Amino acid sequence: MSTDRSRATAPVSAARRRTVIDALRRGAVPESGLDLLATGLDRFEAALDAELDAVVAGGAVFKAVRGEYGAGKTFFTRWLGERAKRRNFAVAEIQVSETETPLHKLETVYRRLTERLTTTSFPPSALRPVVDAWFYALEEDALAAGASEEQLPDEVEKLLVARLAEVSRHAPSFAAALRGYRAAVANGDETTAAAVLAWLGGQPHVAAAARRSAGVRGDLDHFGAFGFLQGLLTVLRDSGHAGLFVVLDEVETLQRVRSDARDKALNALRQLIDEVHSGRFPGLYLVITGTPAFYDGQQGVQRLAPLAQRLATDFTTDPRFDNPRAVQLRLPGFTHESLVGLGVTIRDLYADGAQAPERIKAVADDAYVADLAAAVGGALGGKVGVAPRLFLKKLVGDVLDRIDQFEDFDPRQHYRLTVGRTELTDVERNFAAVGAEFASADAVKLDL
C-alpha cells in the first residue's frame, strides 16, 4: 500500500486523532478514523461503493479478502466498515476462533454478531436499541395508517406478523421472542425483557421462565441461526438501517483445528455463501479474511471442492490489474517505501495535535522514520510485510511521545530499538527468530 499524505493534512478533530494515536500506541488497529490512514485503497473504492449501494437497494454481497500477515486485512475491513456506517449500515466484526467462535457452529457466530453489533449511534451491543427502534417504527406506521391509541397494540401486532412473514416460515420463534419482549416491556418486567432479548441474540442458558413467557423453547441451533439472521436483517431494514456489514476475521485459523471440525466449518462457509447468493439475506454484506495459504492450500479452501469453485479468482496477472469486483480481493502488503510513507503520515498526524509539533517534525524527520522502518524490518528477519504493527507502535510510543514530552530527547542519540519477545505476536516471533539465526553469513550452517 502506498500513502496519500494529502489526507493527513486535512483538518482532523482532536478526538479522532486521539483515537487513532492511542490505538497505534497499543499496537492495535484503530476502531475508527481509518480514513486518516487509508493508503493505496483508492483503487478499490469505486467497486466497493457500488457493492454497498447494491446492498442498500436490497441485494447481498459476499467478499473474500486475502493477504499475508501484516498486509492490512483487519485495517481494510474496518475501513470498509466505516464506509458502510456512513451509509447507515449496522456493523459487526467477528474473530473466528476454534474455542470461542467455531465457524461450524453458526449459532455461535450469530451470537457473536449480536454481541458485536454496532451502529452510528450505539456501541456494541446495539441489539436492544435496534429492536426498540423497530417497534417504534411499527407504532409510527400504524398511527400513520390511522390507528387510534386503543387500536395501536393490535395494529402493531398485525404489522409485526406481516413484516416477519417470510422469516416465520424458517424461524417462527424469532417473531415469538419479539412478541414476548414487547409484552415484558409493556408490563414493566425488565428482567424478563432482558432475558428474552438475550435469547433472541442467541445466548444460551436463558431462564426457562423467561422462555416460557415468550412461548419459545430450547436454544438456538446451527440451522436456526440462518432464520435469525434473516429476521435481524428485516428488523434492521425496518428500523431505518441500510443494511448489515459483517466481517468474519482470521478464517485461516480453520487450518489448525481437527480435521472433522475443519470439514464442517468449510461446509458451513459454503452454505453461508450459497444463502447469500440465493437472495435469502437482502441487505447483507459479508466479508471473510484469510491468508493465501488458507485459500490455496490443501488444509483450507481447496479441501472442499465446491467451496474452492465458489472462491476461485485469477491472481496470475500483475497485482495492478486485479479485479476489485471479483469474489476475492488481494492485498499486496507493505514495501519499505510504503511503510516509510505511512510512518511519515502518522508522524504528521501526531504532530498536528502535539505540544511541540515543529520539534517532532524536525527531530523525527523523514530520514529517521526511514531508518526506524528499516531497523524494525531487520529485527523481524527483513520481512517488511509483517512490520507495520510493531513499527507504528515503536514510532508512536517510543519515539514521538518522548520527543513531545522531553525537549532534549533525540532518538538518534538516546534511543536504541529493542524488540522483546513478549511484545511480539506468534508470527512476528517466528520471523524475529529467523532473523536472529541468520543475522550473518557465519550463522548459516553448511553441510560440506
Side-chain angles (χ1 to χ4, degrees), residues 1-2 7 34 37-46 48 71-72 75-77 79-80 83 331:
M1 301 180 186
S2 61
R7 299 190 183 203
L34 298 177
L37 312 178
T39 59
L41 300 181
D42 51 332
R43 64 193 180 102
F44 296 120
E45 287 181 357
L48 296 176
F75 179 95
F76 176 85
T77 55
W79 167 80
L80 183 54
R83 299 182 76 83
L331 301 182

Side-chain angles (χ1 to χ4, degrees), residues 22-81:
D22 286 349
L24 298 178
R25 186 182 288 117
R26 299 192 310 271
V29 175
E31 293 285 345
S32 61
L34 298 177
D35 56 306
L36 304 176
L37 312 178
T39 59
L41 300 181
D42 51 332
R43 64 193 180 102
F44 296 120
E45 287 181 357
L48 296 176
D49 286 348
E51 290 177 348
L52 288 171
D53 291 340
V55 173
V56 172
V61 170
F62 171 82
K63 210 74 171 179
V65 177
R66 66 187 276 146
E68 297 288 0
Y69 179 86
K73 297 187 293 295
T74 299
F75 179 95
F76 176 85
T77 55
R78 289 184 182 173
W79 167 80
L80 183 54

Side-chain angles (χ1 to χ4, degrees), residues 45 94 108 139 144 166 174 216 227 241 303 315 352 355 378 388 433:
E45 287 181 357
I94 305 164
T108 305
E139 291 176 355
E166 180 62 24
F174 187 87
V216 297
H241 293 280
R303 188 179 178 93
F315 289 116
D352 288 343
Q355 301 175 35

